[in-house]
Amino acid sequence: MTQQSRPVYLKLRDQIAAAIIEGVYAEGEMLPSVRAFAAEQGANPLTVAKAYQQFQADGLVEVQRGVGMYVVRGAAEKLRRSEREQFLAREWPELKVRMKRLGIDPTELLAHS
Amino acid sequence: MTQQSRPVYLKLRDQIAAAIIEGVYAEGEMLPSVRAFAAEQGANPLTVAKAYQQFQADGLVEVQRGVGMYVVRGAAEKLRRSEREQFLAREWPELKVRMKRLGIDPTELLAHS
DNA sequence: CAAGGTGCATCAGTGACATAATACAGCGCG
DNA sequence: CGCGCTGTATTATGTCACTGATGCACCTTG
């Protein structure tokens, strides 16, 4: 049967993204080192590095070799915008279809807030 | 960068589940044979069989050896209920948190219907 | 310079996934 | 019965994402 568990590096990636957006890792500040974060999360440093890499590629964090990775100014808002766009374009459409198929009314769900 | 492509057998499984709920494969009727469906989808018969297996295990389809797999009566509603429950319990909570973080107002999305 | 911290490149191992080639057991129909 | 269709069990192979261990280059600090 196997399973389909979300890869660790993606979980970490989402977790970090949320932290950046919410200001836990404020702009201009340093991200936890790959080793520190790995130890904290019980993961492998390389796996953490893989999660960090995407932010670096997107220009959301800057690497100072031998020092660490810093959150770029405007990263939080930039990240929020791109994630928002991704969500609306990719996930929401099929999500809406699926909810309709399951007989779920989105407006009803908001009442339980 | 790798990918994160959903396994084929899970895609097929979702596709079939949707078809059952929507009545494309009506109750009492026969599902496409593993070979036929495999040829149609460009997949391997074994992969299709793997997708079918879950429905069989959940008692949603019945196997008549040498004949084919039939959709059990009440399968559509049963499937809808279980999927609905899954969605509300597992996906929606974190989805709600995530939407809030991204500054997305669910009510706004309904306007685009 | 020496020590300890950073990220990162390289190589390797593991397991899920998909495909393939057969073979078998059961059923329907001519 | 014989043919063709069902699902399924078996075995094998190949691929690839994921994870991990090791070592290196770079920086800061004392």
Side-chain angles (χ1 to χ4, degrees):
Chain A
M1 183 68 75
T2 73
Q3 278 288 345
Q4 173 69 8
S5 69
R6 194 171 174 74
V8 177
Y9 80 96
L10 282 183
K11 288 183 194 169
L12 297 177
R13 187 255 167 212
D14 290 347
Q15 185 174 340
I16 298 161
I20 291 181
I21 292 180
E22 292 175 351
V24 177
Y25 300 144
E27 305 178 355
E29 289 188 357
M30 203 176 105
L31 287 177
S33 74
V34 288
R35 289 175 178 82
F37 195 68
E40 175 187 338
Q41 297 291 329
N44 189 283
L46 274 187
T47 305
V48 176
K50 190 171 184 179
Y52 280 3
Q53 235 169 356
Q54 304 200 349
F55 295 111
Q56 178 190 354
D58 293 342
L60 296 172
V61 300
E62 252 179 10
V63 177
Q64 294 195 10
R65 290 189 63 94
V67 181
M69 307 187 67
Y70 290 85
V71 181
V72 166
R73 280 199 314 171
E77 189 55 28
K78 186 177 176 183
L79 189 55
R80 172 185 283 115
R81 287 189 190 281
S82 66
E83 292 245 321
R84 178 193 173 103
E85 196 171 338
Q86 278 276 328
F87 177 82
L88 292 179
R90 291 223 158 73
E91 303 182 43
W92 181 249
E94 52 185 61
L95 197 61
K96 204 167 88 177
V97 172
R98 198 162 138 240
M99 289 176 72
K100 181 178 180 183
R101 174 162 54 232
L102 298 182
I104 296 177
D105 183 9
T107 56
E108 172 189 344
L109 296 177
L110 304 177
H112 302 300
S113 299
Chain B
M1 186 68 71
T2 71
Q3 293 274 0
Q4 174 65 11
S5 72
R6 195 171 175 74
V8 177
Y9 80 95
L10 282 183
K11 289 182 193 168
L12 296 177
R13 186 254 166 213
D14 289 347
Q15 185 175 338
I16 298 162
I20 290 181
I21 292 181
E22 291 175 351
V24 177
Y25 300 144
E27 305 179 354
E29 287 188 357
M30 204 176 104
L31 288 177
S33 76
V34 288
R35 292 177 178 83
F37 195 67
E40 175 188 337
Q41 297 291 329
N44 188 286
L46 275 186
T47 305
V48 176
K50 190 173 183 179
Y52 279 4
Q53 235 168 359
Q54 304 200 351
F55 294 112
Q56 179 190 354
D58 292 344
L60 296 172
V61 301
E62 251 179 12
V63 179
Q64 294 196 9
R65 291 189 65 96
V67 182
M69 307 185 68
Y70 290 83
V71 180
V72 165
R73 280 199 312 172
E77 190 55 28
K78 185 176 177 184
L79 190 54
R80 173 185 282 116
R81 287 189 190 280
S82 67
E83 292 244 321
R84 178 193 173 102
E85 195 172 339
Q86 278 276 328
F87 177 83
L88 292 179
R90 291 221 158 72
E91 303 183 42
W92 181 250
E94 52 186 60
L95 197 60
K96 204 166 90 177
V97 171
R98 198 162 137 239
M99 289 176 72
K100 181 178 180 182
R101 173 164 55 234
L102 297 181
I104 294 176
D105 183 10
T107 57
E108 171 190 346
L109 296 177
L110 303 178
H112 301 301
S113 298

